Amino acid sequence: MVSSSFRAMLLKLGVPEDRLAVLEGKGGVVEGEFEGIRYVRFRDSAKGFRRGTVVFENGDVVLGFPHIKRVVQLERGIKRVFKNKPFYVEEKVDGYNVRVVKVRDRVLALTRGGFVCPFTTERILDFVNEEFFRDYPNLVLAGEMAGPESPYIVEGPPYVKEDIEFFLFDIQEKGTGRSLPVEERLKLAEEYGIRHVETFGLYDRSKIEELHELIERFSRERREGIVMKTPDMKRIAKYVTPYANINDIRIGSHIFFDLPHGYFMGRIKRLAFYLAEKHVKGEEFDEYAKALGKAILRPFVESIHEVANGGEVEEVFTVRVKNISTAHRMVTHFERLGVKIHIEDIEDLRNGYWRITFKRVYPDATREMRELWNGLAF
Ligand code: ATP
């Protein structure tokens, strides 16, 4: 249910009345609040309002970040998505998606699902120059928060050695969600000193060899992949390195029972297409096969041992905050996501930051493993 004032606002913004009633009925629109700022987030889409859309009480609308098409056969995928059109190639940075927006006098960081993230919001002005929003209050910065000290993902890119950083990859208009052309985005990033994902200039399908080489290099450098975008941002596609596919499997198999089978299948499929497209054979093929097998099995077997010895399937992560209260808010935020975490340790870094260590326990995965280990037959 949303309050009557939000209801009226959503209708005025063009959400059809019958769709709104359906969404309300199944919890597809949910009201939230962050430090006195009220908002509604869309858990499902509704006529032009993508999933993850946030509507604030002052009428500001931040559309959900759109899905990016994936290609798994690079050469043919490019031909199909871009035809003969040129496209920019950017690094796909491995982190979590945030949309940064100024609402009234606050700069807020929104998660993909449309929550105001207490941690990212507290830290965002460490990375983004507030001047930008003074000059362009109507624009939204979309980027990846990435690094080893992240609340949502286990690993960061290899070049972020500590803490976390923001990498810009899109600038969109409030209300319409329309992206600025690539060149304008790059210019603004430069002008305001906002770190941007690495860009590799314009390519087209005739440069497939160079792209294959870039993917090989990224894979060796333990980077996640690339995103290709026409200069007008109308056509966008992503491609992930074999390294990232195997590494995600390695990270996931630690919590094997907590992930849908599709998580593993999708990555195995992409790896198979890479090996087929590149005609990988012989020793190199054997190396991939071994790496995949180890990635699936080793962390899985380690988790079984952990549980067999009376432990639990768990993950530990750290973040840096300016106020300890932000850490407590993250615990509540995770609770809303249906995830139980607790604070394990608080360390004063003596530079205005606290390093907080959290532990996330996976009760369902632990229970399932324990039962199987104890001989459950089915
Ligand atoms: P989907 O695109 O279907 O929503 P997903 O949520 O599973 O996919 P990924 O497959 O990881 O996400 O890829 C899309 C995400 O990649 C984007 O939402 C964004 O957060 C991230 N990303 C990292 N670098 C870039 C970049 N240069 N351009 C666009 N997105 C990027």
Side-chain angles (χ1 to χ4, degrees):
M1 281 297 279
V2 295
S3 61
S4 56
S5 55
F6 265 123
R7 199 156 202 288
M9 184 185 289
L10 294 176
L11 291 173
K12 208 167 130 210
L13 286 167
V15 182
E17 194 159 5
D18 49 346
R19 178 74 183 136
L20 186 57
V22 172
L23 284 178
E24 280 192 284
K26 59 176 184 177
V29 281
V30 185
E31 213 171 308
E33 185 265 346
F34 181 82
E35 293 182 4
I37 300 174
R38 290 168 58 223
Y39 63 94
V40 160
R41 72 190 160 87
F42 283 67
R43 296 176 65 204
D44 287 323
S45 61
K47 190 174 173 248
F49 294 79
R50 301 187 282 249
R51 212 169 74 82
T53 294
V54 182
V55 177
F56 289 93
E57 57 189 343
N58 67 348
D60 278 352
V61 178
V62 181
L63 287 197
F65 191 81
H67 162 71
I68 297 176
K69 284 197 181 111
R70 184 189 300 283
V71 298
V72 297
Q73 213 280 9
L74 190 60
E75 183 168 2
R76 300 226 162 86
I78 285 172
K79 192 167 152 198
R80 235 161 131 156
V81 175
F82 297 104
K83 313 276 186 303
N84 291 317
K85 290 188 169 55
F87 51 86
Y88 278 99
V89 173
E90 295 176 357
E91 176 171 5
K92 183 175 192 302
V93 173
D94 190 10
Y96 61 93
N97 182 296
V98 289
R99 285 161 288 154
V100 188
V101 63
K102 189 161 189 177
V103 178
R104 296 228 164 94
D105 59 347
R106 282 296 306 270
V107 177
L108 304 172
L110 310 178
T111 66
R112 194 86 197 270
F115 286 93
V116 176
C117 173
F119 164 73
T120 320
T121 297
E122 192 207 56
R123 293 294 311 275
I124 198 66
L125 291 178
D126 287 352
F127 313 109
V128 169
N129 178 354
E130 199 173 357
E131 285 284 306
F132 176 84
F133 292 107
R134 275 191 212 124
D135 298 342
Y136 300 100
N138 202 35
L139 294 181
V140 180
L141 299 176
E144 201 79 348
M145 288 291 282
E149 294 177 279
S150 153
Y152 303 111
I153 50 154
V154 173
E155 269 184 21
Y159 45 82
V160 185
K161 303 283 185 221
E162 53 167 35
D163 200 11
I164 198 160
E165 273 191 56
F166 176 82
F167 297 86
L168 182 71
F169 54 65
D170 202 344
I171 303 182
Q172 302 186 348
E173 271 175 10
K174 274 183 188 165
T176 65
R178 208 178 55 86
S179 292
L180 295 192
V182 174
E183 286 94 352
E184 274 182 48
R185 176 200 341 136
L186 292 171
K187 221 172 92 212
L188 286 173
E190 163 117 43
E191 204 180 318
Y192 289 88
I194 303 168
R195 185 161 184 185
H196 194 279
V197 299
E198 195 173 340
T199 54
F200 298 88
L202 276 172
Y203 284 66
D204 60 45
R205 57 188 258 219
S206 69
K207 289 196 183 167
I208 185 69
E209 265 325 300
E210 279 107 308
L211 269 184
H212 276 307
E213 277 161 27
L214 184 64
I215 294 297
E216 303 304 64
R217 192 187 113 200
F218 266 25
S219 209
R220 279 194 308 274
E221 293 173 354
R222 303 172 171 252
R223 292 158 85 171
E224 194 193 14
I226 57 172
V227 184
M228 298 159 277
K229 304 173 177 179
T230 52
D232 62 5
M233 295 290 284
K234 294 268 188 305
R235 282 161 202 255
I236 305 182
K238 64 192 175 197
Y239 183 84
V240 166
T241 59
Y243 163 79
N245 287 321
I246 294 176
N247 197 47
D248 282 357
I249 289 173
R250 187 180 61 77
I251 291 168
S253 68
H254 170 67
I255 51 164
F256 191 85
F257 289 107
D258 233 74
L259 289 169
H261 293 176
Y263 175 93
F264 298 99
M265 298 307 266
R267 286 161 173 90
I268 294 170
K269 174 183 79 185
R270 289 174 221 154
L271 182 65
F273 272 88
Y274 170 83
L275 298 173
E277 181 173 359
K278 300 287 295 175
H279 296 279
V280 175
K281 303 194 265 299
E283 230 172 82
E284 197 189 347
F285 186 92
D286 290 348
E287 268 172 37
Y288 274 112
K290 192 169 163 190
L292 174 64
K294 266 189 165 169
I296 297 175
L297 291 175
R298 191 186 268 166
F300 194 175
V301 172
E302 280 169 4
S303 285
I304 298 173
H305 280 147
E306 183 70 41
V307 170
N309 291 328
E312 286 178 305
V313 182
E314 60 189 31
E315 254 164 24
V316 174
F317 61 92
T318 62
V319 299
R320 292 184 200 194
V321 295
K322 293 177 185 153
N323 300 289
I324 297 177
S325 62
T326 305
H328 292 289
R329 283 178 186 195
M330 283 307 279
V331 174
T332 313
H333 172 62
F334 271 103
E335 246 161 45
R336 261 185 236 123
L337 298 172
V339 171
K340 253 201 120 36
I341 61 166
H342 62 264
I343 297 173
E344 278 272 294
D345 188 43
I346 298 175
E347 183 192 350
D348 187 351
L349 295 176
R350 304 193 180 281
N351 56 1
Y353 291 87
W354 301 84
R355 182 188 279 128
I356 314 287
T357 305
F358 294 96
K359 191 183 265 186
R360 173 173 177 181
V361 179
Y362 291 83
D364 295 345
T366 305
R367 194 173 318 111
E368 192 158 355
M369 267 190 209
R370 189 167 293 143
E371 289 190 339
L372 291 171
W373 184 257
N374 288 333
L376 177 75
F378 54 92

